[in-house]
Amino acid sequence: MVSAFQLPVIPRLCFTASSMPGLSTTELDQLLSRISSFVRDEIYPLEQSFLRQPFRELLPALQSKRAQVKAAGMWTPHLPKEHGGLGLTLSEFAQVSEELGRTPLGHYLFNCQAPDIGNTEILITHGTASQKDLYLRPLIQGEIRSCFSMTEPEHPGSNPTWMSTTARTDGDDYVIDGHKWFTSSAEGASFAIVMAITNPDSTSSYGKASQIIVPIPTPGFEIVRNISVMGEEGSDYASHAEVRYTNCRVPRTNLLGEAGKGFQIAQERLGPGRIHHCMRWIGICERAFDLMCDYAAKRELAPGVLLGTKQNVQEWIAESRAEINSARLLVLDVASKIDQLGASASRSEISLIKFYVAGILQQVLDRAIQVHGALGLTDATLLSYWYRHERGARIYDGPDEVHKTVVAREALRRYGMKL
Ligand SMILES: Cc1cc2nc3c(=O)[nH]c(=O)nc-3n(C[C@H](O)[C@H](O)[C@H](O)COP(=O)(O)OP(=O)(O)OC[C@H]3O[C@@H](n4cnc5c(N)ncnc54)[C@H](O)[C@@H]3O)c2cc1C
């Protein structure tokens, strides 16, 4: 029998000793401090309008903030310098993502929001010169937005190889037919990257689908509706669409990478993408923690008796602090491993942080709301917005249960179990 103590373990907190090229500690501290000041001084004041207005009505104000971010040299911080970014390692960008995550507008204003961030990465790695010119360049400039169209209502998103959308070749074109939903940010996007079956005869279920760029509008691409999620339809960037592809014809040159490599390409973007999400959630947790402590330190339950004197509130504060700190260390550790060894070497650790941090996010938000009482359910703070919008964290990018299976199976294999 193998003792748990003999098992290979991931490097502990190796992000402190990263050998990757990147910023010095001082440079990173300065960058994080500048971003943090921008978030507090320039973005927090927009939040109440964000909560009360449709996204599209806020766009003029957001465009002028985006221009400020560009002028301050902080635009697209995740990208390599040759693409106009700051050339950060994943571990460094993770820390930026936390700062931006303290506000729902942070990632959008710095042009590193999902799904554009993932689509940008795909285009950099797999795009042809012409695709880069048509789609990547304006995406990086923030002139256009994009969406990623994989999940189908009729099939489980947790088993994405089982899909019905097809793209058949006809002369120089692909003709796409299918039905998707939860295509986030489709409204107002200039193109979709759609996952469709192009190689139905492949012997591998992972070798059947490809990623294809569909410019919007293209005849046959139809946004059926923005889906009402937790009572909100949203608009533009802040929306999730049901989409139909009916005889939707695009040139074969719109194929991204090789035919049949759609899942391989998707996998490449998922690892770093989950780091981005986890660190954004930690930013949300920190903001919720601030709100919880601030309220507990000021709210009187009776004259002179503060809410923060109650033992259960102190326990929530202590537990939240411990959970947020541990989550951050775990995520940065995995980010560092990806920096050094690549995402494919970290599959199980990525799954682990995905469900673990999503769970902490729900708990911290729930406690913060409870501390605020009825006020926590109003839009006076961001808590109720995040409570609604981030319930999905345990579902999108793979439900908790799937990620737990990945972690458990890897552990059990080390004990000789055949899975
Ligand atoms: C806010 C949000 C944004 C999204 N954005 C996008 C997007 O931009 N583009 C896109 O293509 N998709 C997007 N999605 C879809 C998302 O990827 C899927 O919802 C996700 O993959 C889960 O698929 P499903 O909803 O079909 O659930 P199913 O696959 O039908 O699963 C239902 C439930 O079954 C359980 N389950 C599933 N598999 C297992 C298993 N193996 N073991 C145990 N239990 C299991 C889980 O509890 C799961 O929640 C988004 C979803 C949300 C909520």
Side-chain angles (χ1 to χ4, degrees), residues 1 12 30 139 183 313 351 358 390:
M1 198 176 96
R12 293 287 163 237
Q30 285 170 351
L139 200 56
T183 299
V313 173
S351 279
E390 296 304 341

Side-chain angles (χ1 to χ4, degrees), residues 379-396:
D379 289 329
T381 73
L382 283 157
L383 294 171
S384 64
Y385 167 84
W386 274 320
Y387 193 73
R388 292 191 305 279
H389 283 259
E390 296 304 341
R391 177 60 182 84
R394 293 183 51 214
I395 296 172
Y396 59 74

Side-chain angles (χ1 to χ4, degrees), residues 23 26-43 67-75 77 86 88 95-96 99-100 110:
L23 304 180
T26 315
E27 286 169 331
L28 181 60
D29 284 349
Q30 285 170 351
L31 175 66
L32 293 174
S33 155
R34 282 175 64 213
I35 292 176
S36 169
S37 303
F38 192 91
V39 165
R40 283 169 177 75
D41 301 342
E42 303 290 339
I43 310 186
Q68 268 180 265
V69 174
K70 267 189 191 172
M74 299 187 290
W75 184 250
L86 299 183
L88 304 179
Q95 294 168 75
V96 169
E99 289 301 330
L100 298 179
F110 281 64

Side-chain angles (χ1 to χ4, degrees), residues 97-98 101 107 276-284 390 396:
S97 190
E98 176 183 337
H107 287 78
H276 307 159
H277 275 312
C278 285
M279 291 304 285
R280 182 172 62 77
W281 298 336
I282 291 171
I284 296 174
E390 296 304 341
Y396 59 74

Side-chain angles (χ1 to χ4, degrees), residues 115 147-153 155-160 180-185 193 229 239-240 269 389 391-402 405:
C147 56
F148 187 74
S149 201
M150 179 159 83
T151 309
E152 303 183 350
H155 297 291
S158 55
N159 179 14
K180 302 284 186 183
W181 80 336
F182 276 88
T183 299
S184 300
S185 313
I193 295 181
V229 178
S239 63
H240 307 285
R269 68 171 258 175
H389 283 259
R391 177 60 182 84
R394 293 183 51 214
I395 296 172
Y396 59 74
D397 268 14
D400 283 2
E401 296 71 26
V402 173
T405 305

Side-chain angles (χ1 to χ4, degrees), residues 346-376:
S346 318
R347 193 165 166 242
S348 163
E349 290 97 322
I350 291 168
S351 279
L352 189 145
I353 56 166
K354 168 65 178 58
F355 77 78
Y356 183 70
V357 185
I360 285 174
L361 171 64
Q362 315 291 320
Q363 287 188 147
V364 173
L365 281 173
D366 189 68
R367 290 178 190 135
I369 287 177
Q370 194 68 16
V371 163
H372 281 75
L375 179 64

